[in-house]
Amino acid sequence: MNNLIQVDVITLTKNSSNCILKTLDSVSMQDYKYINHIIIDGNSTDETVFIINQYNHEKKVNIFQQNGIGIANAFNVGLMKSSGNLLIFLNSGDTLVNKGVITKIVDSYIKQKWLWAFGETISLSRKQYLKRHIKQYSHWDQNLFLSRNPICHQSTIFSQKLLQEVGLYDERLTLEMDYDFNIRASLIAQPYLLYFPISYYDTTGVSSIKVFKHYKIHRELRKKYFTLSPINSFKTDSLCFLKACMRFMMIPMKIFL
């Protein structure tokens, strides 16, 4: 039955010649056959596109050049190029945890008939000395959105049916566009929780270290979607600022370890 389920893996690249190979390897080695690897390149000026074109792909691959600017626009180009039953974003430098994880996702989708789901993630520092296995929540609660984005997009799988309802990423946002998108998705359907790791997430990307800009945009979006009392708003802002400071102090270790 899973022969009917196409999975689109969307990878965003821009001057990624130093890390694109491990992402290509990760997708190519999957034991699930019906994968379409869609690569959105942000007009790289290094050898990224050459490496992709020369790679011996085991899966169907399509590469497109991004016409607009920004991460949200690249996400949207990927969405518009996607036609699969399921879609997962796996950025350049990120990898799937093992060769059988897509099969495991598809099996869950067929059995549980969810609209979208997310699993566990393992975050990595640049040299991979630091690893953090982010375990799954015991249950889903909308309040998880208050202090952070509780869903890592490298471990989130969307059905085409849900995507048709949610629409596109907000291109006015330079960061936290996935936070906004996930909230909108959760207002349509509660995400299904997968209790296994899906991806290794590289925490040293440019957007990952802009912690205080993340904090500011997150604060604005939280106030847009959630109504809190003044005291609860102050407590949440303080907690989020403290977390931003802690992430800022972790940046050197993520980069050099």
Side-chain angles (χ1 to χ4, degrees):
M1 185 176 179
N2 62 8
N3 290 358
L4 303 176
I5 306 300
Q6 177 181 310
V7 179
D8 290 345
V9 178
I10 298 180
T11 296
L12 312 185
T13 66
K14 185 176 177 65
N15 295 333
S16 305
S17 60
N18 64 326
C19 62
I20 185 60
L21 270 177
K22 61 182 181 180
T23 305
L24 295 175
D25 286 342
S26 176
V27 176
S28 189
M29 72 181 287
Q30 288 299 303
D31 60 17
Y32 189 74
K33 181 178 179 180
Y34 300 97
I35 293 176
N36 182 22
H37 197 180
I38 299 172
I39 300 173
I40 311 300
D41 182 70
N43 298 300
S44 294
T45 55
D46 65 359
E47 295 187 341
T48 299
V49 176
F50 176 80
I51 292 171
I52 296 169
N53 287 331
Q54 294 299 309
Y55 186 81
N56 184 24
H57 303 279
E58 296 293 329
K59 301 294 186 289
K60 181 180 178 182
V61 175
N62 291 289
I63 182 169
F64 302 95
Q65 290 297 318
Q66 181 182 357
N67 292 323
I69 57 173
I71 300 173
N73 174 263
F75 277 144
N76 286 337
V77 174
L79 289 181
M80 289 185 283
K81 299 297 184 182
S82 172
S83 61
N85 304 90
L86 299 177
L87 178 153
I88 181 170
F89 285 99
L90 191 71
N91 288 348
S92 184
D94 300 325
T95 59
L96 298 165
V97 294
N98 56 52
K99 67 180 182 180
V101 69
I102 295 294
T103 296
K104 203 169 182 179
I105 289 168
V106 172
D107 288 344
S108 172
Y109 172 69
I110 292 170
K111 182 177 179 180
Q112 302 297 335
K113 298 179 174 59
W114 38 259
L115 289 179
W116 68 305
F118 71 93
E120 299 171 353
T121 307
I122 302 173
S123 64
L124 299 173
S125 59
R126 177 160 293 169
K127 296 181 180 179
Q128 301 186 11
Y129 291 116
L130 296 179
K131 291 185 179 183
R132 180 190 172 206
H133 187 161
I134 304 170
K135 296 289 188 176
Q136 186 57 279
Y137 306 101
S138 60
H139 65 282
W140 175 252
D141 189 326
Q142 284 288 96
N143 287 329
L144 291 169
F145 281 118
L146 294 180
S147 63
R148 61 197 181 281
N149 184 358
I151 303 171
C152 180
H153 75 258
Q154 289 91 340
S155 293
T156 304
I157 309 93
F158 299 103
S159 69
Q160 196 65 235
K161 182 177 180 180
L162 180 85
L163 293 172
Q164 294 302 316
E165 295 188 50
V166 179
L168 299 175
Y169 286 81
D170 188 344
E171 295 190 19
R172 294 171 297 181
L173 298 173
T174 56
L175 294 170
E176 294 286 353
M177 63 288 297
D178 53 336
Y179 175 69
D180 174 82
F181 191 86
N182 290 338
I183 293 175
R184 287 190 279 130
S186 73
L187 296 176
I188 295 171
Q190 177 176 306
Y192 183 79
L193 306 184
L194 300 171
Y195 288 90
F196 54 87
I198 292 176
S199 67
Y200 290 105
Y201 165 46
D202 181 354
T203 61
T204 61
V206 174
S207 64
S208 297
I209 63 178
K210 295 181 178 180
V211 293
F212 293 111
K213 191 169 183 179
H214 274 284
Y215 164 77
K216 180 181 178 181
I217 298 174
H218 177 277
R219 184 172 183 265
E220 295 170 353
L221 290 171
R222 186 176 67 247
K223 291 185 175 182
K224 174 182 176 181
Y225 289 107
F226 300 97
T227 301
L228 299 176
S229 67
I231 182 94
N232 286 335
S233 181
F234 175 76
K235 288 179 179 178
T236 303
D237 284 346
S238 300
L239 176 61
C240 291
F241 184 74
L242 177 61
K243 289 184 175 182
C245 291
M246 294 174 64
R247 288 196 296 271
F248 179 77
M249 290 187 289
M250 286 290 293
I251 289 173
M253 286 185 283
K254 290 178 180 180
I255 293 176
F256 297 110
L257 292 180

